[in-house]
Amino acid sequence: MHRLLPFLFLILLANIALAQAPQPRRIWLDTDLIIGLKDKNAREVDDAVALIMALKHPDKVQLVGISTVTYVNYGYGVAQNLLKWYNKTGRDIPVYRGSDTLRDIGRENDATRAMAAALRREKMPILAIGPVTNVATLVKNHPDLIPQIEEVVVCAGRTPGLPFKPGLEKLSVGDYNFEKDPEAFRVLFDAGVRVVLSGYECSVYTLLGKTDIDFLNGSKRPGDQWMYDQFRPWQLYNKQLFGIDGFVPWDTTPLGYLTHPNYFKYYTDIPVRINTRQTDTGGNGTKPFLEVSTDYKDTKWRAVYAYKTLPGFEELVIEALK
């Protein structure tokens, strides 16, 4: 028996170490996956990069489920392919179709029903890297589940006066995820949901250029060549628009808040308002702006706001693609 004692002691130590090791955060991903969608121009690819990065860090996050918003049938198929190619954990990750129109807050769909069922089982954050229509429907229809939502992490928001001019600052772009459904953000803030804003300001200096993706071209791994064939046209389209041969993987920074929070600087509990201002994306008229400022003393809305990405995060994104 005494010969077994050292062995049993090692097992005990291993179990203690496992118990003390940080456990991955179980999260829900809500995304507008449109990479590869046929159009006259290339379509954005950053949601796909974020999903691949999440799958490459099972020690950091564990996807409970995925829901799609806008082009939901197309996004459903892309999500299934990315899971087939890059999910190496062996875990089944279900995918659900959500709002296709972004004009139907309150209308239940497969995604909102699945999110509600998951939240009844456990608390978790929601990583929402597209318009937040699905999440707003969940909050509106199931207020009893709000305490189960640890936080909603989104790619949106700005400080007042911040222009969205990527690359060589040739033109301005909008705050897409917010502007597609501003009312959905009102629903979240009015309900008191903890919101984390990680958008343009902290993302814009993370750039994936041509040489950063060359390793995908000719790769024998399933999915890599397809990804390269979508990345490269998107880079060239960005060069046409912004003067840079590369793209910003915007949605990786809200994911980074969950996987590598030490690579960012944040304002915590900062006041938030939706202001109507002159449009900054061409033409006349006004549009809503989702803005944060310590000067907004008259609002009860609060958020965590990521305003800077620290050196090294770009390498983490590239490494995830490898």
Side-chain angles (χ1 to χ4, degrees), residues 36-204:
L37 183 67
K38 298 304 179 184
D39 200 352
K40 61 181 180 179
N41 296 309
R43 301 302 295 262
E44 65 179 49
V45 303
D46 50 321
D47 290 75
V49 179
L51 173 53
I52 293 171
M53 188 172 175
L55 293 171
K56 289 297 183 72
H57 288 283
D59 58 321
K60 306 286 188 181
V61 291
Q62 189 176 87
L63 297 178
V64 175
I66 300 170
S67 50
T68 60
V69 62
T70 74
Y71 302 98
V72 294
N73 290 325
Y74 180 82
Y76 179 90
V78 171
Q80 296 285 10
N81 283 334
L82 293 177
L83 289 172
K84 177 178 66 177
W85 294 330
Y86 298 107
N87 178 21
K88 304 304 181 183
T89 66
R91 290 183 54 253
D92 177 53
I93 303 173
V95 184
Y96 303 92
R97 297 173 179 87
S99 172
D100 204 31
T101 67
L102 307 181
R103 293 186 293 273
D104 55 359
I105 297 173
R107 180 183 297 174
E108 291 284 358
N109 53 53
D110 289 348
T112 59
R113 285 187 284 267
M115 275 193 281
L119 287 165
R120 289 189 186 98
R121 293 191 295 269
E122 59 185 312
K123 286 186 176 183
M124 72 181 75
I126 298 173
L127 176 62
I129 53 176
V132 297
T133 312
N134 290 334
V135 186
T137 292
L138 172 75
V139 168
K140 182 177 180 179
N141 292 358
H142 306 280
D144 57 305
L145 293 177
I146 292 174
Q148 294 291 96
I149 303 172
E150 292 180 353
E151 53 199 352
V152 179
V153 189
V154 302
C155 188
R158 68 174 83 196
T159 48
L162 175 70
F164 283 10
K165 289 187 172 183
L168 301 183
E169 301 186 354
K170 296 172 64 173
L171 79 162
S172 294
V173 297
D175 194 358
Y176 179 89
N177 291 339
F178 164 69
E179 292 174 24
K180 281 295 182 179
D181 194 353
E183 185 57 34
F185 281 83
R186 291 185 188 274
V187 170
L188 299 191
F189 284 112
D190 282 341
V193 174
R194 175 180 165 86
V195 177
V196 180
L197 303 173
S198 181
Y200 178 95
E201 189 166 3
C202 75
S203 304
V204 69

Side-chain angles (χ1 to χ4, degrees), residues 225-302:
Q225 187 65 51
W226 186 86
M227 295 297 295
Y228 178 84
D229 292 342
Q230 317 314 315
F231 285 174
R232 190 65 191 129
W234 181 242
Q235 288 178 327
L236 293 172
Y237 186 50
N238 275 252
K239 184 177 181 180
Q240 175 187 334
L241 293 178
F242 311 121
I244 51 170
D245 189 351
F247 65 88
V248 177
W250 309 102
D251 292 327
T252 59
T253 64
L255 171 67
Y257 169 81
L258 297 167
T259 59
H260 300 86
N262 53 318
Y263 280 83
F264 301 88
K265 288 188 175 294
Y266 308 94
Y267 299 124
T268 58
D269 199 38
I270 191 168
V272 183
R273 272 203 328 221
I274 294 177
N275 294 311
T276 300
R277 303 187 187 278
Q278 180 71 31
T279 182
D280 61 348
T281 51
N284 299 317
T286 60
K287 72 173 189 179
F289 288 72
L290 180 65
E291 297 178 334
V292 304
S293 174
T294 54
D295 294 334
Y296 296 158
K297 309 296 186 184
D298 59 343
T299 177
K300 294 181 179 179
W301 294 359
R302 295 291 187 275

